[in-house]
Amino acid sequence: MILENIKDFIWYNDPQNVRFVEEGMLIETRPQTDFWQNTDGGFQKDNGHLFAKDCAGNFILVVKCSFPVIKNSAQCGLMFRSDAQNWIKAGLLSPNLVAPQLGIISANQGSCDWSATDLPLDCHTLWLRLSRRGKDFVIMYSLTGNNFRQVRMLHLPKVSDIAAVGAYACSPGEDSFECVWEEIILEPSA
């Protein structure tokens, strides 16, 4: 149950609304929210919604997220945040209102990069896994909760040992949107 795993989590930028439903924690985002740094004409946003716990050292984070209605550029997934200039987010999104994607963005010393992987058209639920080993990170995903596939490995040289780790959601556009975090599991690793 999600409640057992989130008792020590806190909000970074409260969403518009939060309530618990049968599937898990339903989040209604605020419009014009995002996490992004500098790339793309110097655009900066640091007002997305992050529900996280401070975590020291190596870990494995698994988040199961879903949204029933696709909204333009709306996102939900997992996030590691050392500070505003150094973080990773991986989530379910749709930049064109047609095809869902797994988007992975990292901010490395204040500049963002973005990679995307197309998902099946009927995908509205995704399991994401982030593993940390020192300053190295591995991102994996699954459509079923089993058989995770690696999609990215990266190194962030300026991250601190203790960082906020959890689930995020944001709505870069003019509208809010709803997503559900069905699982948030954070465990230390070797």
Side-chain angles (χ1 to χ4, degrees), residues 63-85:
V63 172
K64 179 183 178 187
C65 58
S66 62
F67 57 83
V69 178
I70 294 175
K71 297 248 181 145
N72 192 29
S73 297
Q75 307 161 36
C76 61
L78 60 75
M79 187 169 191
F80 164 88
R81 180 186 170 88
S82 182
D83 56 48
Q85 303 293 305

Side-chain angles (χ1 to χ4, degrees), residues 19-171:
R19 65 184 185 276
F20 287 90
V21 294
E22 186 176 328
E23 297 82 15
M25 191 173 177
L26 186 130
I27 311 305
E28 182 182 355
T29 62
R30 295 184 188 279
Q32 299 181 345
T33 53
D34 203 353
F35 292 105
W36 188 266
Q37 291 295 321
N38 293 318
T39 310
D40 194 19
F43 178 76
Q44 293 182 319
K45 282 275 190 171
D46 194 43
N47 65 349
H49 313 298
L50 172 61
F51 188 62
K53 175 181 178 177
D54 282 346
C55 181
N58 299 332
F59 64 81
I60 296 174
L61 170 68
V62 176
V63 172
K64 179 183 178 187
C65 58
S66 62
F67 57 83
V69 178
I70 294 175
K71 297 248 181 145
N72 192 29
S73 297
Q75 307 161 36
C76 61
L78 60 75
M79 187 169 191
F80 164 88
R81 180 186 170 88
S82 182
D83 56 48
Q85 303 293 305
N86 298 281
W87 49 258
I88 300 165
K89 65 178 181 175
L92 187 58
L93 64 96
S94 180
N96 59 14
L97 295 175
V98 177
Q101 294 182 334
L102 165 57
I104 301 170
I105 297 106
S106 69
N108 186 345
Q109 300 177 64
S111 293
C112 279
D113 63 31
W114 180 7
S115 62
T117 300
D118 290 335
L119 298 170
L121 290 176
D122 62 350
C123 181
H124 291 276
T125 301
L126 194 62
W127 284 260
L128 298 156
R129 183 164 66 195
L130 176 66
S131 302
R132 178 183 187 179
R133 185 162 296 193
K135 297 178 186 292
D136 296 325
F137 299 84
V138 175
I139 301 151
M140 303 176 88
Y141 81 100
S142 173
L143 300 175
T144 63
N146 299 307
N147 302 319
F148 281 81
R149 297 180 59 192
Q150 180 176 320
V151 287
R152 186 146 178 214
M153 179 185 289
L154 61 119
H155 181 81
L156 293 178
K158 297 291 183 180
V159 297
S160 58
D161 183 53
I162 299 174
V165 180
Y168 90 100
C170 56
S171 298

